[in-house]
Amino acid sequence: MTMAMRHKRAADLVETSELTRLGRVLVAFLPPIAVLNPILPHIGPVASFTAYSVLFFAYGVFHLRRRPPSGIRRLVLVLCLPVLAIALWTVITQFGTPVVFTEAVVVAGGIFIVLGLIALPSSRDTMRAILAGWLLASLATTVLAAIELTTGRHFGPNYLDANPTATKTGVVTVFFNPNNYAAFLCLAIPLLLAGATLTTRRWLRLTYYATAVVSVPLTVATSSRFGLAALVLGGSIWLMLRLRSHIAQAFMLAFALFAVILTLTLLQGRAAGDISSAARSSGYVISVMGLDIPSDSSLLARWNLMLNGLDMIPHTPFGSGPGGYELAAQAQGTTRNTFGMINPHNGAIEFITQYGIILGAIAALLTITLFIVSVRANNTYGKGTPERALASATVCVIAMLPLILGMHSTFLDVPHEWIGFATFAAVGAYLQARRATIAVPDGSTNV
């Protein structure tokens, strides 16, 4: 097959089909339903997020069509199908079991959404719909945050009401913990900036930008130290990706890393709150390669929980199943000081301990692939194009992942994080599909 014929075949397979109106609505409502799930109606044990995920999966499967070859889509399938099988088996065999059943239901719902979304066309139409959903979710939570700031009222169960003696303060809206809200905002801001490039309506573009701008002080209002550090890092990476000079990029990256370290250091025991009333006088330290790094109790607990998770992996290399980390911590105790906390507080450790090192390696490979595809797209497409904005958003979020993964007590049973995974998987598949047609026989660009 000649080069021209291969280009023609790729061009013929490009996914340009539009979603139906029903499809656009279903996609756009994914983020709002995931985010607002705690205050939406439940039918017995079935939450709105769970019911919607099954409905959406059915829609996606029934609209599955022939797709161009996509390494990202294949990796998503290889990762998600075993996780889905484990989650569904747990739902059947551990019905109603605390911690285990709850996480298995959320994981199964999240995987249904991921599979349903990548089954739909990797087209701009799909991108517009999912980013419109992130806008809707952001607007809804911004309104709730404004009410909370002015009235002090919280919505749904939350960490602050459950722990009245805790020193942590901050806006929580419907996210149970201020850290969870900060994690959502760190995902949403880059996607809102990308969404602004996908619309031709001026009022809608301004709404995207205004919502992104307002989300910055809201991140500060959460009082999440990791959230503030992620915001600094993500903003720096976004600017770095718009620089063409490698020297300027290196300086910006160095500044970003320095700013993150400074943020995490200066805000110890203050912005993030503490879990030990004696934190300021106890002189906690984290030992790394012979260095003793000053720490507050919150950061020390997260570090020790991560080390405890690493200790668990050799005992269950193929995973302990949904909720396995917490069950092991309850049964065996924690070998290091975690101030009574038994939740993993690290999404990567949580996933590997519960689903095994093989699936953990596949998840890492998928993340690296998304990063490479996005960096290439950022360098390929011109300023102001949706593809470049989507690529930049993906690179920023992947750069922030080490911080975002450490912000939740448990990462895998948070619905909006699964919507984030589904969104970036769909973005990666879209960028790969567009790249297949960037070089056509006449030398033009088909974007």
Side-chain angles (χ1 to χ4, degrees):
M1 183 182 292
T2 66
M3 182 66 70
M5 292 176 64
R6 282 198 295 268
H7 285 314
K8 183 179 186 302
R9 184 169 181 266
D12 289 342
L13 286 174
V14 67
E15 300 179 56
T16 58
S17 57
E18 294 186 357
L19 295 177
T20 63
R21 180 175 296 178
L22 174 61
R24 290 194 294 271
V25 171
L26 288 174
V27 171
F29 271 91
L30 286 172
I33 287 179
V35 166
L36 300 176
N37 183 63
I39 58 174
L40 291 178
H42 288 52
I43 303 175
V46 181
S48 296
F49 173 76
T50 305
Y52 198 81
S53 67
V54 174
L55 172 66
F56 183 77
F57 173 73
Y59 177 85
V61 169
F62 282 123
H63 289 77
L64 185 63
R65 299 290 184 270
R66 185 186 178 198
R67 303 284 181 247
S70 171
I72 287 178
R73 189 177 277 115
R74 291 193 188 102
L75 280 173
V76 169
L77 290 174
V78 171
L79 174 66
C80 287
L81 292 179
V83 174
L84 179 62
I86 294 169
L88 291 177
W89 178 253
T90 303
V91 168
I92 295 170
T93 59
Q94 302 289 326
F95 186 84
T97 305
V99 179
V100 174
F101 178 76
T102 301
E103 181 175 310
V105 169
V106 175
V107 169
I111 295 295
F112 276 138
I113 286 172
V114 175
L115 295 177
L117 190 58
I118 66 167
L120 298 178
S122 295
S123 63
R124 279 192 180 180
D125 208 36
T126 304
M127 295 297 101
R128 288 190 188 96
I130 189 63
L131 295 184
W134 281 92
L135 176 62
L136 291 173
S138 297
L139 289 172
T141 55
T142 297
V143 170
L144 295 179
I147 295 173
E148 182 173 342
L149 286 168
T150 54
T151 68
R153 176 189 175 188
H154 303 305
F155 299 89
N158 64 86
Y159 174 90
L160 302 177
D161 290 340
N163 299 273
T165 60
T167 61
K168 185 181 290 295
T169 58
V171 178
V172 64
T173 64
V174 294
F175 291 91
F176 183 76
N177 190 306
N179 275 323
N180 296 13
Y181 185 26
F184 165 78
L185 292 169
C186 290
L187 291 176
I189 292 172
L191 291 172
L192 292 171
L193 295 177
T197 67
L198 277 160
T199 180
T200 57
R201 296 180 174 88
R202 186 173 181 271
W203 68 268
L204 185 55
R205 184 182 302 111
L206 292 175
T207 302
Y208 271 110
Y209 283 134
T211 307
V213 170
V214 170
S215 296
V216 174
L218 286 178
T219 305
V220 178
T222 64
S223 294
S224 169
R225 171 179 39 174
F226 277 40
L228 293 172
L231 186 66
V232 170
L233 179 61
S236 300
I237 296 297
W238 184 278
L239 293 175
M240 186 189 77
L241 293 173
R242 270 133 191 81
L243 300 173
R244 292 303 181 186
S245 167
H246 294 313
I247 295 176
Q249 289 177 336
F251 273 112
M252 182 60 72
L253 180 60
F255 166 79
L257 296 177
F258 174 76
V260 167
I261 294 172
L262 197 65
T263 302
L264 294 176
T265 302
L266 292 180
L267 297 180
Q268 286 192 106
R270 290 185 292 175
D274 241 309
I275 53 179
S276 169
S277 59
R280 292 179 178 82
S281 60
S282 296
Y284 298 118
V285 295
I286 294 175
S287 297
V288 183
M289 301 177 65
L291 298 176
D292 289 337
I293 303 172
S295 167
D296 62 6
S297 59
S298 178
L299 194 58
L300 177 62
R302 280 174 163 79
W303 178 257
N304 285 340
L305 286 164
M306 182 188 70
L307 295 179
N308 289 337
L310 293 175
D311 290 341
M312 295 177 188
I313 293 173
H315 300 289
T316 55
F318 297 105
S320 55
Y325 184 107
E326 188 168 335
L327 293 180
Q330 287 176 337
Q332 304 165 15
T334 53
T335 57
R336 299 171 181 85
N337 183 14
T338 62
F339 303 91
M341 295 197 303
I342 58 173
N343 305 122
H345 283 77
N346 186 298
I349 294 295
E350 182 180 11
F351 185 82
I352 295 172
T353 56
Q354 297 181 180
Y355 294 93
I357 55 177
I358 295 176
L359 290 176
I362 295 172
L365 179 60
L366 174 58
T367 304
I368 293 169
T369 304
L370 276 171
F371 183 79
I372 293 172
V373 168
S374 300
V375 169
R376 287 176 176 173
N378 181 78
N379 295 335
T380 298
Y381 291 96
K383 180 180 178 181
T385 60
E387 288 74 23
R388 188 178 184 189
L390 288 167
S392 298
T394 306
V395 173
C396 287
V397 168
I398 292 175
M400 291 188 288
L401 265 185
L403 293 165
I404 294 175
L405 290 170
M407 292 165 69
H408 299 283
S409 299
T410 57
F411 187 86
L412 298 179
D413 63 356
V414 179
H416 76 259
E417 296 295 356
W418 286 103
I419 300 298
F421 174 37
T423 299
F424 288 107
V427 168
Y430 170 76
L431 293 176
Q432 275 197 332
R434 302 297 288 184
R435 183 175 176 81
T437 61
I438 197 166
V440 291
D442 63 359
S444 62
T445 300
N446 183 17
V447 295

